[in-house]
Amino acid sequence: MPVSVQAATAPEWTVCPRCRALVYTRRLERNLLVCPECQYHARLTALERVRQLLDPGSVEPLSFAVGSEDHLRFVDTRPYTDRLHSARLSTGLDEGVLCLRGRIDGHPVVAAVMDFRFLGGSLGAAVGEMITLAAETALADRTPLLLVTASGGARMQEGALSLMQMAKTSQALGRLDEEGILTVSLVTDPTYGGVAASFATLCDVIIAEPRARLGFAGPRVIRQTIRQSLPSGFQEAESLLANGLVDDVVPRAALRPALARLLTFAAPVVPRRRASGAVPVIHDPDRLTDEEPWATVQRARDTARPTTLDYIGYLIDGFQELRGDRCGGDCPAIVGGIGRFDGQPVVVIGHQKGHQPADLIARNFGMATPAGYRKAVRLMRLAAKVGVPVLTLIDTPGAYPGVEAEAGGQAVAIAEALRLMAALPVPIVAAVTGEGGSGGALALAVANQVLMLSGAVYSVISPEGCAAILWDDPAAAPRAASALGLRASDLLRAGIVDGVVPEPEGGAQADPLAAAAALRAAFAAALEDLQPLRPDQLIARRRSRFRRLGAPTQETVIVEGANR
Ligand SMILES: [Zn+2]
């Protein structure tokens, strides 16, 4: 296969097709074929892509004995066999996808990289077969699979056999889900039709290059069939991100480190012993010094307290945020992603508020929409698939009470999170760090161990809401706060939380680093207790924990397997 010789043959200057700037070609190449003026990401050949992403010297091509056949003897303006011949000559490739084993920043990966120059990256039987064989190689090697897509869709010249490649590749990815093999897709411009509606969007994590377009029906089809006018940025990566369809938009220069962070998530864990020293978690409610309930509520809402992203910054190494519910939205009031806690991969999810008014507004004051809970559920499923613990951080006044949230199925989204968490086969540790407001808080808190910071509150309803309903007087909020039993000591006594993490003098807001250090020790101790348990034990204990709450006496409830 010939090496790309663009550097030697390209003219000295290149005109950017988007901004028309005249760019020195060597500079363009140094910039990974991204226009330095307008950031236009020019299309790459499969070989250029491999060179940019994989560690030098690590690539071992996977030579599958597969080739396209003209079983329909298809002729349009030219015979299909002629088109295939020309594509092979002009690209130097046998087919429209390049498959290989290699490494990214030292992490092993099996990759399939599509080349748009080869008949528009179209998905024919051979391409479908090669993607499937790459997935099967990833399964056999138990190595993550990376798919780099660039395609106009199914290859018409092979008729319905091309259509069937969507099903074949999708079931290959389904097998990787069953077997816990991480899958990552890198969407490049353009990714359409049968490729978009199969392997490109079935991966655990979907990264897109800036302004890369992805969709099922292309703009021309939409305009011609239903004559709809299309908004600017339609089907481009940035709008896909806002619509919850991709996890992140990553500029070309940042792709290698981003992919390396993701592959770390699937790397084997080197067990690390917890540093000796007292774990600060309090289990005896009498050891807690109580503040007046209404004052506790006010302090728990202090915008100076560390937010979920602040804690993530202290606790999680190599955090890669993952976004989107994959069905139409992304909610900024819930953040989640993957990273390492004390060296071990985890999924971390939490409500996000903010310190300044602008942040608070952008994050909807930590009040999540259905898209937020669906994103959380998606990330928890990923944790279950890969077999890593889930840490959650709870700080919300409640789920967002609005017309769109209701129409979008707020109640359903919360209910599904509750049910999924109860059955998740990996350890879950939750910490209420500020406000634990109602069902919107519980939707992230069905955990094996539920921790609470000493200055946090956790309640069935806000004191103001309770006062308005039961006292018919919002000014009765302080009385309601006393009546609701929402402080850490009250909840520890009731068995609703398992442990309380003491805050530093003056609260978490006075010394965020000390608060984060205490939380780190509490999370580490909880994980140490939970990690020896088998999945069935984790589920049985979690179900038993919640089954007991509110039962007439604790002894009457026996959950099978709970005490194994
Ligand atoms: Zn440009």
Side-chain angles (χ1 to χ4, degrees):
M1 178 180 310
V3 172
S4 167
V5 287
Q6 195 171 359
T9 57
E12 215 167 313
W13 296 89
T14 303
V15 179
C16 169
R18 182 184 292 152
C19 74
R20 313 305 302 170
L22 202 56
V23 185
Y24 188 47
T25 304
R26 295 277 284 277
R27 184 177 174 216
L28 191 63
E29 283 161 359
R30 276 199 304 275
N31 209 34
L32 307 173
L33 297 189
V34 176
C35 170
E37 304 300 324
C38 74
Q39 306 308 312
Y40 170 70
H41 282 53
R43 257 173 224 163
L44 299 183
T45 68
L47 203 59
E48 285 167 338
R49 180 70 68 180
V50 168
R51 284 232 191 83
Q52 288 191 8
L53 292 182
L54 278 289
D55 294 352
S58 75
V59 174
E60 174 203 332
L62 292 169
S63 308
F64 303 126
V66 173
S68 292
E69 285 177 35
D70 183 21
H71 64 97
L72 291 179
R73 301 181 198 283
F74 197 96
V75 180
D76 48 88
T77 54
R78 281 171 69 195
Y80 177 39
T81 46
D82 280 10
R83 289 190 183 278
L84 273 174
H85 184 67
S86 308
R88 284 178 183 139
L89 274 184
S90 64
T91 61
L93 297 172
D94 295 331
E95 275 304 330
V97 62
L98 206 56
C99 301
L100 55 100
R101 287 192 185 94
R103 290 178 179 270
I104 297 178
D105 202 20
H107 302 291
V109 69
V110 171
V113 182
M114 302 185 83
D115 196 313
F116 193 79
R117 296 171 307 158
F118 198 104
L119 300 179
S122 55
L123 175 63
V127 172
E129 182 67 18
M130 289 167 82
I131 300 272
T132 303
L133 286 168
E136 288 168 357
T137 304
L139 179 58
D141 293 359
R142 300 206 68 80
T143 298
L145 177 70
L146 168 67
L147 300 173
V148 183
T149 59
S151 174
R155 188 175 296 175
M156 292 171 280
Q157 291 89 342
E158 293 184 23
L161 200 58
S162 292
L163 185 67
M164 296 306 122
Q165 304 312 308
M166 293 169 66
K168 185 163 91 184
T169 53
S170 296
Q171 71 191 26
L173 285 183
R175 284 283 293 134
L176 296 184
D177 291 340
E178 289 161 15
E179 296 290 334
I181 307 294
L182 183 74
T183 55
V184 177
S185 114
L186 169 58
V187 172
T188 75
D189 189 69
T191 294
Y192 273 103
V195 169
S198 61
F199 53 90
T201 50
L202 284 178
C203 288
D204 296 314
V205 179
I206 306 175
I207 302 285
E209 283 199 314
R211 296 191 71 173
R213 291 163 299 159
L214 172 140
F216 188 59
R220 199 171 55 183
V221 171
I222 296 171
R223 282 200 203 93
Q224 285 174 1
T225 50
I226 63 168
R227 312 208 176 275
Q228 207 168 25
S229 63
L230 303 171
S232 79
F234 179 67
Q235 294 179 327
E236 287 183 4
E238 294 70 16
S239 61
L240 299 171
L241 186 66
N243 292 337
L245 302 174
V246 301
D247 287 286
D248 205 357
V249 178
V250 181
R252 200 166 277 170
L255 279 174
R256 247 177 74 84
L259 291 171
R261 275 196 300 280
L262 292 168
L263 296 176
T264 308
F265 183 57
V269 183
V270 182
R272 214 202 293 188
R273 291 200 65 80
R274 179 151 53 93
S276 56
V279 175
V281 180
I282 293 172
H283 300 284
D284 174 4
D286 294 331
R287 279 186 56 207
L288 290 164
T289 41
D290 283 337
E291 205 181 13
E292 196 269 315
W294 183 238
T296 311
V297 171
Q298 307 283 44
R299 282 161 65 90
R301 291 174 178 170
D302 187 344
T303 56
R305 286 176 74 84
T307 65
T308 287
L309 284 175
D310 294 332
Y311 283 119
I312 286 174
Y314 294 129
L315 301 177
I316 305 294
D317 296 321
F319 179 66
Q320 169 70 50
E321 186 175 352
L322 301 178
R323 282 185 273 181
D325 67 355
R326 294 276 202 279
C327 44
D330 182 49
C331 171
I334 287 184
V335 295
I338 59 174
R340 292 209 160 210
F341 173 77
D342 271 356
Q344 86 154 60
V346 292
V347 162
V348 56
I349 305 168
H351 303 95
Q352 176 64 21
K353 288 183 176 174
H355 299 296
Q356 304 301 326
D359 302 337
L360 284 160
I361 291 165
R363 298 288 180 177
N364 207 15
F365 299 87
M367 294 186 289
T369 60
Y373 295 109
R374 292 189 176 121
K375 169 168 66 180
V377 160
R378 181 172 80 82
L379 298 184
M380 287 181 209
R381 288 209 171 99
L382 174 60
K385 170 181 163 176
V386 183
V388 305
V390 176
L391 303 178
T392 66
L393 298 157
I394 290 121
D395 185 17
T396 179
Y400 181 64
V403 173
E404 278 180 31
E406 290 300 311
Q410 185 74 283
V412 178
I414 291 172
E416 287 180 344
L418 300 177
R419 181 176 58 187
L420 178 85
M421 287 187 90
L424 213 68
V426 292
I428 309 177
V429 186
V432 185
T433 59
E435 276 184 285
S438 189
L442 181 63
L444 296 187
V446 184
N448 290 96
Q449 281 202 31
V450 182
L451 303 167
M452 188 165 171
L453 295 192
S454 56
V457 295
Y458 193 5
S459 172
V460 66
I461 187 170
S462 71
E464 291 88 341
C466 177
I469 294 167
L470 296 184
W471 277 267
D472 199 17
D473 175 14
R479 282 174 65 191
S482 298
L484 283 167
L486 43 63
R487 291 171 305 183
S489 56
D490 305 320
L491 295 154
L492 190 57
R493 216 164 263 126
I496 289 168
V497 303
D498 304 293
V500 175
V501 184
E503 294 183 21
E505 192 69 34
Q509 53 272 59
D511 190 348
L513 266 177
L519 192 57
R520 171 189 288 278
F523 272 145
L527 287 180
E528 199 170 75
D529 289 347
L530 296 171
Q531 287 199 290
L533 300 178
R534 294 189 313 265
D536 61 314
Q537 292 173 310
L538 288 165
I539 294 167
R541 290 190 188 194
R542 199 180 306 128
R543 285 185 170 160
S544 164
R545 184 193 182 283
F546 285 89
R547 177 66 182 84
R548 280 197 298 271
L549 297 172
T553 63
Q554 300 206 355
E555 290 71 31
T556 58
V557 178
I558 298 159
V559 178
E560 200 183 339
N563 298 316
R564 270 184 290 167

